[in-house]
Amino acid sequence: MKTVRQLTGQVMQGLFGPGKDTQARNARYHDILDASNSGVFEWDISRREIFLNRRVITTLQIEAEPGWVPDSILMEVFPEYERNRLMNLYGKLDGDDETRRVEAVCLDRKGEKIFVQISGRVVTDEYGNTEKILGLIHDVSQQKKREERLRHEALHDYLTGLPNRTLLVDRIQHILTRLKRNSDLNATLLFIDIDNFKTINNNMGQGFGDDVLVSLGERLTNIVRAADTVSRLGSDEFVILLEDPTTSDIAHMLATRLLEKLQRPLRVQNKIVNLTFSVGLVLIDDPDASVEIVLGDADIAMYAAKDKGKGMVVPFDTTMRKQAAKRLDIETALRQAIDNEELYLVYQPIFSIDGCDEPDAIGVEALLRWTKSTRGNIAPGELLAVAEENGLIEDIGLWVITTACKQLARWQKEGFPADFYININLSSRHFDDDAIVEYMTREIDRYGVPRNGIRIEIVESAVIRNPENALSVIERLKDEGIFVSIDDFGTGFSSLSYLHRFPFYALKIDRSFIIDVLESEASQNIITAIILMAKKLGIRVVAEGIEESDQLQFLKTAGCEMVQGYLLARPETTPEVDRFFVDAEWVEARLAGS
């Protein structure tokens, strides 16, 4: 391999011939090398000089002209640790004539890093001693930036810039490895979920929802230490990893304080957003645990927090795993239930007692049931809790509407009273937007039943969750002739404040007041007050859970208009319900036997 000096001689000889001006020959030679897009160098070891073409000079921002310069000029652009590394590498190349590549970092005049790739080959003399190094220098800074960006994107969330699941898993694994060496070095993991985040996306748009997540990520980062990890797992789920050893009680106390700070009003796009969060807490103290177990336990604890009312911290305990496994089993089966026709409705008659000698059946409440051959009937509360949790409650609600409309149309053809109606229960999720109005009116008109033949019952949480949206939807339903009642009245804290704002058709007194009404004067006074207040507001009153004739008598005396309960009729499939409205003798005998 010829050196740059040897090449110089050949090039100048060919271009100018012997005896021509040396300065002109050098200039021409430099022009040829500078025409290359590569940085070219020749390092003369014995003379401690190095030839640099213009590309090297500009790439490394060296204050010198192209040509031969002292090698110290080049070495000065490398930080001391890189100079030492390169010199050590040079020492290992003695006698090696293979082309080698190495990456290094230089510093420009502003101290900014320049990443370069150096390709070089050692030239030895006739005795095998290193004489020169010939090579190329390429600026690979842009490539390094791309690689760094790709590494960052692989380990961080695209929206918030927080560590993602991959990086979080690595850090949890680091803690578990540390635990194997020292069992006292535990850590705390908090699994955080925004309660009812879907409402924000539905009402304000996904762009606003994204801004909420970004702002929330910033708040989380600001309320923990720099050494702690704040990660976004996806959607509205965040994880905080606190690596300080602690006890379960202290971890719970710290998590509760953190939650208080987290739930302060958040300003997004000049709007104030009030959020609540469900937090699952896991103390990472088992060196034999896996990352999957740690995250799974935290997720289970988070859902336990939701079940307990949201806006709280719940520490994990091992009994939760069985409950979670059961819920997963139910969820998996529930996803196939509608297609397999495993869901069905039963109907509990509603009776008028206002001005009647005997209770008069005037309508029914549709109640959801699910039969699975492998497990028998699933408890309604368990079914609805799982459906609410995994989002299937919305589809189930639509199925209930269609099924009730279809059943009411059949009953009308069979001669049921024209004012007969079916009450259905809808989830708070159905009141996130007014799509439910469009669906109900379409199905009612499709089956040709009266608008007031299908009525809705909602619990107070459906109103509290997003009052303004709920009010808008209920007003639209009323405009379409669809009645809405509030269920389980008296069990919440805000029921009274909503009664004068919302156009409720009726309120249903919760069964907890009915159970002890005969023994409790307080319950009697509460029921009487509710009935009087409702009448003043023009709202009808229904009492549920009637199981004794004396309870029925008290409610009639107090002015309650409608009742339902096991005393009069249990939830039944359609054949049994049919008899209430077509077999007067059977009804009379049944009521007499009650």
Side-chain angles (χ1 to χ4, degrees):
M1 183 174 183
K2 294 183 178 180
T3 67
V4 172
R5 291 184 189 276
Q6 291 169 331
L7 287 172
T8 301
Q10 290 184 5
V11 171
M12 290 191 296
Q13 182 76 18
L15 292 175
F16 302 104
K20 292 188 177 180
D21 182 72
T22 301
Q23 185 176 0
R25 291 198 299 269
N26 284 339
R28 182 64 173 166
Y29 167 63
H30 290 162
D31 289 342
I32 292 172
L33 290 179
D34 289 343
S36 170
N37 285 326
S38 299
V40 179
F41 73 91
E42 175 186 345
W43 186 7
D44 189 322
I45 303 299
S46 61
R47 297 176 57 204
R48 299 306 303 269
E49 290 184 347
I50 191 165
F51 176 87
L52 304 175
N53 76 336
R54 187 170 300 279
R55 175 65 65 178
V56 176
I57 296 293
T58 56
T59 296
L60 304 185
Q61 299 184 22
I62 295 174
E63 295 184 359
E65 291 297 321
W68 287 95
V69 297
D71 60 7
S72 59
I73 290 180
L74 177 63
M75 289 296 105
E76 285 174 359
V77 302
F78 292 97
E80 184 176 356
Y81 69 90
E82 284 286 51
R83 287 200 298 270
N84 294 336
R85 186 171 70 91
L86 291 173
M87 293 307 295
N88 289 334
L89 180 62
Y90 157 70
K92 298 176 182 179
L93 294 178
D94 193 23
D96 185 351
D97 62 354
E98 294 291 327
T99 300
R100 303 290 183 179
R101 288 183 178 84
V102 64
E103 290 186 354
V105 175
C106 303
L107 297 178
D108 64 15
R109 297 187 187 109
K110 296 180 179 179
E112 299 292 332
K113 291 182 177 180
I114 303 173
F115 294 90
V116 295
Q117 183 185 77
I118 305 172
S119 303
R121 180 180 178 185
V122 171
V123 177
T124 59
D125 59 20
E126 56 187 315
Y127 303 107
N129 299 318
T130 299
E131 184 178 28
K132 306 177 188 300
I133 297 179
L134 302 176
L136 304 174
I137 295 179
H138 292 284
D139 183 353
V140 293
S141 298
Q142 292 302 318
Q143 177 184 333
K144 285 293 181 182
K145 289 179 181 178
R146 285 194 296 270
E147 291 173 357
E148 180 61 30
R149 186 175 67 251
L150 290 173
R151 279 195 297 270
H152 185 275
E153 290 174 354
L155 298 174
H156 292 79
D157 174 52
Y158 75 96
L159 179 64
T160 63
L162 296 174
N164 61 11
R165 178 182 288 271
T166 302
L167 184 52
L168 176 67
V169 165
D170 181 72
R171 293 183 179 175
I172 296 173
Q173 186 60 60
H174 169 74
I175 291 170
L176 293 172
T177 302
R178 187 181 70 186
L179 269 173
K180 291 182 183 296
R181 296 194 300 266
N182 187 340
S183 60
D184 293 331
L185 298 178
N186 60 31
T188 302
L189 188 139
L190 305 177
F191 198 114
I192 303 169
D193 183 85
I194 307 174
D195 297 328
N196 307 320
F197 181 70
K198 185 178 179 182
T199 305
I200 293 177
N201 278 338
N202 288 344
N203 297 333
M204 305 299 294
Q206 188 170 348
F208 184 86
D210 286 348
D211 287 348
V212 169
L213 295 173
V214 171
S215 298
L216 182 59
E218 293 172 352
R219 172 172 289 185
L220 284 168
T221 302
N222 290 333
I223 62 180
V224 301
R225 302 162 310 170
D228 299 324
T229 299
V230 177
S231 172
R232 180 182 177 228
L233 295 192
S235 185
D236 57 343
E237 294 178 338
F238 294 81
V239 168
I240 296 178
L241 183 61
L242 310 172
E243 297 197 29
D244 283 348
T246 186
T247 65
S248 298
D249 291 341
I250 293 176
H252 193 189
M253 179 187 69
L254 291 174
T256 302
R257 290 179 181 175
L258 185 146
L259 180 61
E260 291 173 358
K261 295 179 181 179
L262 190 58
Q263 293 189 151
R264 292 171 182 168
L266 190 69
R267 180 176 289 277
V268 179
Q269 295 182 11
N270 292 323
K271 294 182 175 65
I272 297 299
V273 180
N274 292 289
L275 301 172
T276 63
F277 304 85
S278 296
V279 182
L281 183 154
V282 167
L283 192 66
I284 307 176
D285 58 358
D286 180 5
D288 294 325
S290 66
V291 175
E292 292 75 16
I293 289 175
V294 171
L295 287 173
D297 289 348
D299 186 54
I300 290 170
M302 182 272 290
Y303 277 110
K306 285 188 177 294
D307 288 343
K308 290 186 177 182
K310 304 177 182 178
M312 62 178 63
V313 178
V314 173
F316 172 80
D317 69 69
T318 53
T319 61
M320 293 179 181
R321 286 183 186 148
K322 290 183 179 179
Q323 299 169 354
K326 183 179 180 182
R327 292 173 80 90
L328 179 61
D329 183 29
I330 294 174
E331 178 182 340
T332 301
L334 182 57
R335 291 185 180 277
Q336 303 174 358
I338 296 179
D339 291 339
N340 295 342
E341 298 184 349
E342 295 167 358
L343 296 181
Y344 65 98
L345 296 179
V346 294
Y347 301 89
Q348 184 176 29
I350 300 171
F351 297 84
S352 172
I353 58 172
D354 186 26
C356 305
D357 293 333
E358 295 292 339
D360 181 24
I362 57 174
V364 293
E365 179 183 3
L367 301 168
L368 186 66
R369 296 291 184 267
W370 178 24
T371 296
K372 281 285 291 173
S373 58
T374 58
R375 63 172 75 248
N377 285 338
I378 305 296
E382 190 174 24
L383 163 61
L384 295 175
V386 173
E388 186 83 38
E389 178 183 301
N390 61 29
L392 289 176
I393 193 69
E394 294 180 60
D395 290 337
I396 291 174
L398 301 182
W399 176 84
V400 169
I401 291 170
T402 299
T403 303
C405 289
K406 191 183 303 184
Q407 183 59 48
L408 182 59
R410 186 181 73 80
W411 275 332
Q412 285 188 330
K413 289 179 182 179
E414 294 175 356
F416 275 48
D419 57 356
F420 177 83
Y421 62 87
I422 298 178
N423 278 5
I424 61 173
N425 297 275
L426 292 183
S427 161
S428 59
R429 291 176 180 265
H430 293 106
F431 289 80
D432 288 342
D433 55 55
D434 57 9
I436 191 64
V437 182
E438 306 295 337
Y439 188 86
M440 281 201 68
T441 53
R442 184 173 68 248
E443 293 301 281
I444 286 173
D445 294 344
R446 173 186 173 190
Y447 288 98
V449 297
R451 290 291 176 88
N452 64 357
I454 302 295
R455 305 179 182 184
I456 297 173
E457 293 184 12
I458 59 172
V459 294
E460 184 183 349
S461 62
V463 176
I464 295 175
R465 178 181 175 187
N466 194 321
E468 299 308 318
N469 269 36
L471 176 60
S472 174
V473 174
I474 293 172
E475 286 179 338
R476 277 208 61 195
L477 288 167
K478 181 184 178 183
D479 292 342
E480 295 290 346
I482 300 170
F483 298 155
V484 179
S485 301
I486 187 166
D487 197 6
D488 298 337
F489 185 83
T491 58
F493 296 102
S494 305
S495 300
L496 295 178
S497 66
Y498 292 126
L499 280 183
H500 73 282
R501 292 183 59 201
F502 286 73
F504 291 122
Y505 170 77
L507 63 83
K508 183 177 285 188
I509 301 174
D510 187 69
R511 66 180 67 246
S512 61
F513 295 107
I514 306 300
I515 291 173
D516 63 349
V517 70
L518 301 178
E519 294 80 24
S520 171
E521 184 177 350
S523 292
Q524 293 174 13
N525 292 336
I526 290 173
I527 290 173
T528 301
I530 291 174
I531 292 172
L532 290 174
M533 175 189 62
K535 286 182 179 294
K536 288 286 186 180
L537 295 172
I539 298 174
R540 292 161 182 79
V541 180
V542 185
E544 61 178 345
I546 314 303
E547 297 183 0
E548 299 179 29
S549 57
D550 288 344
Q551 294 172 338
L552 179 62
Q553 185 58 47
F554 169 79
L555 290 166
K556 187 173 183 179
T557 303
C560 183
E561 295 156 297
M562 292 168 281
V563 295
Q564 63 184 114
Y566 285 6
L567 174 70
L568 303 174
R570 292 175 175 270
E572 305 280 7
T573 54
T574 52
E576 292 296 317
V577 174
D578 291 352
R579 299 180 68 180
F580 268 95
F581 300 95
V582 298
D583 191 342
E585 292 183 2
W586 179 84
V587 173
E588 184 177 348
R590 178 159 180 164
L591 293 177
S594 299

